[in-house]
């Protein structure tokens, strides 16, 4: 695989089936509340241009969701197909998310990494993210 032939663009709702298939394939991404097609469609409309895919010809090989609430940016579900890893594609998608957030006036972004996803955690640490040792993630259904 040559990284030269990988291109990136905005994630569009027409990519939904391919992107969900990718998320299901990779370890470390959990499909959860908010990931149904109409929910992702609403998310993309609310955060135009921020979520990204990488593609090789007609195959989606990477995807990431990105949005913001006006104060913090959030990045979710970064996934690169296993045969396309270690070629800078994950970093490229994250850099594009960060650039989009910066353009939208957002100054800080947050990600949640599953506690048992050591490779994912190491990827983020390697790429300039820091652990929030003073914070404990909490959630509830609403
Ligand atoms: C984590 C993941 C997105 C990395 O994608 P990738 O395209 O292989 O990463 P890149 O090639 O862009 O790597 C960029 C840099 O991070 C480093 N890196 C990549 N994976 C790493 C890992 N698991 N641990 C430490 N460093 C890592 C690379 O060596 C590279 O460093 P460099 O710039 O100094 O050369 C990919 O392995 C993946 O999809 N994993 C499964 C899903 C997942 O865990 N997602 C994160 C959910 S929180």
């Amino acid at each position: 695989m040559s990284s030269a032939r990988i291109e990136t663009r905005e994630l569009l709702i027409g990519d939904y089936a391919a992107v969900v298939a990718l998320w299901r394939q990779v370890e470390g991404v959990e499909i959860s509340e908010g990931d149904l097609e109409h929910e992702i469609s609403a998310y993309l409309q609310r955060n135009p241009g921020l979520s990204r895919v990488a593609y090789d010809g007609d195959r989606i090989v990477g995807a990431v969701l990105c949005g913001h609430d006006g104060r913090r940016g959030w990045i979710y579900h970064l996934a690169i197909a296993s045969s396309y890893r270690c070629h800078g594609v994950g970093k490229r998608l994250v850099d594009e998310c960060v650039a989009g957030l910066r353009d939208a006036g957002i100054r800080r972004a947050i990600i949640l990494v599953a506690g048992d996803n050591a490779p994912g955690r190491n990827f983020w640490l390697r790429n300039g993210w820091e652990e929030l040792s003073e914070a404990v993630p909490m959630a509830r259904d609403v």
Side-chain angles (χ1 to χ4, degrees), residues 25-46:
Q25 262 166 40
V26 304
E27 66 292 355
V29 171
E30 188 189 341
I31 301 201
S32 59
E33 300 86 352
D35 290 337
L36 296 174
E37 184 166 3
H38 73 275
E39 295 169 325
I40 295 290
S41 178
Y43 184 77
L44 297 177
Q45 283 176 42
R46 193 187 144 109

Side-chain angles (χ1 to χ4, degrees), residues 27 78-80 85-88 90-91 117 119 122 124 126-127:
E27 66 292 355
L78 173 66
I80 305 300
R85 291 183 190 168
C86 302
H87 287 84
K91 179 177 188 311
N117 184 6
N122 290 333
W124 293 104
R126 172 83 196 150
N127 289 281

Side-chain angles (χ1 to χ4, degrees), residues 22-23 26-30 61 63 75-82 84-94 111-114 117-127:
L22 177 64
W23 288 336
V26 304
E27 66 292 355
V29 171
E30 188 189 341
V61 299
I75 296 177
Y76 308 91
H77 289 10
L78 173 66
I80 305 300
S82 53
Y84 287 81
R85 291 183 190 168
C86 302
H87 287 84
V89 183
K91 179 177 188 311
R92 186 166 150 194
L93 290 182
V94 173
I111 48 157
L112 293 174
V113 184
N117 184 6
R121 174 182 173 189
N122 290 333
F123 167 83
W124 293 104
L125 287 171
R126 172 83 196 150
N127 289 281

